[in-house]
Amino acid sequence: MYNAATLAVSLIALALSGFATVRQTRHARSTSDMTLVLEVALRNIRDKEFQNDQRYVLTELVRDHPPNGGMDALPEPARSMTRNVAFTYEYISILYALGMVDSRIALGIFHFRVSQVWETLEPYIRAERVARRAPCCPFFENLYLHARARPAEQILRAIGLRSVRGYVLEP
């Protein structure tokens, strides 16, 4: 009888220890997710140089340069500006694809810009793939496809966010 009670107490202690470990691991991952997102968002996305480069890509690149030859064939400074934007989103997309950041966070924050930037850069990235005969920005394309599969409002509501008038307002 004494051995059975000792075994039961040991099993309960083991179960509680396992439960605590799982909770701590989830908390650490959540903290890590937020740290990674903030690191990328605050250092790269909010950087003035990145913002200027992104504005150029979204408003002037297509007008100034055809996609022939891909990103590396662009003259400077268009090449550096385009690569800065494309590879910043590629790094965010790698974090997303590897599960290092919660998909709801990545898509909730970057949904609009990922779609807008991919649609602008797609011809340049496709031309770059042809020129390299190798993949270019595959993670970015994957994140774009995931963003297009679900409207931003649906993602935000799934997180539990609420809005007074909706997330998409009519003009």
Side-chain angles (χ1 to χ4, degrees), residues 41-57:
L42 295 179
R43 186 185 301 166
N44 293 8
I45 300 295
R46 293 184 59 183
D47 178 72
K48 281 186 178 184
E49 181 179 351
F50 176 83
Q51 289 295 319
N52 288 333
D53 292 353
Q54 183 171 249
R55 183 201 50 75
Y56 173 79
V57 164

Side-chain angles (χ1 to χ4, degrees), residues 7-167:
L7 179 61
V9 168
S10 295
L11 290 175
I12 290 170
L14 181 62
L16 289 174
S17 175
F19 177 73
T21 300
V22 168
R23 283 185 52 94
Q24 287 177 337
T25 302
R26 284 184 184 159
H27 177 70
R29 180 170 182 235
S30 175
T31 302
S32 174
D33 286 352
M34 189 54 66
T35 302
L36 286 169
V37 169
L38 290 175
E39 180 75 22
V40 172
L42 295 179
R43 186 185 301 166
N44 293 8
I45 300 295
R46 293 184 59 183
D47 178 72
K48 281 186 178 184
E49 181 179 351
F50 176 83
Q51 289 295 319
N52 288 333
D53 292 353
Q54 183 171 249
R55 183 201 50 75
Y56 173 79
V57 164
L58 292 173
T59 62
E60 300 175 38
L61 176 64
V62 173
R63 181 194 69 211
D64 293 350
H65 305 286
N68 308 349
M71 294 184 294
D72 284 347
L74 294 169
E76 286 297 343
R79 175 179 37 240
S80 296
M81 295 166 79
T82 302
R83 290 177 58 82
N84 183 25
V85 173
F87 290 113
T88 294
Y89 284 106
E90 178 74 352
Y91 300 143
I92 292 166
S93 302
I94 289 169
L95 297 175
Y96 172 83
L98 298 178
M100 297 175 73
V101 62
D102 187 305
S103 64
R104 298 169 303 170
I105 294 171
L107 291 174
I109 293 172
F110 299 113
H111 190 284
F112 175 74
R113 282 291 186 222
V114 162
S115 297
Q116 192 178 37
V117 171
W118 174 264
E119 289 168 3
T120 301
L121 288 180
E122 181 179 15
Y124 298 87
I125 292 170
R126 294 214 179 280
E128 187 69 27
R129 290 173 179 176
V130 170
R132 289 182 184 189
R133 295 184 180 183
C136 178
C137 299
F139 293 93
F140 183 15
E141 183 174 20
N142 178 68
L143 182 59
Y144 166 75
L145 293 172
H146 282 243
R148 296 293 298 177
R150 289 181 67 193
E153 185 169 346
Q154 183 183 14
I155 295 164
L156 297 173
R157 288 195 191 285
I159 295 171
L161 297 181
R162 300 181 322 176
S163 173
V164 174
R165 294 187 182 95
Y167 297 104

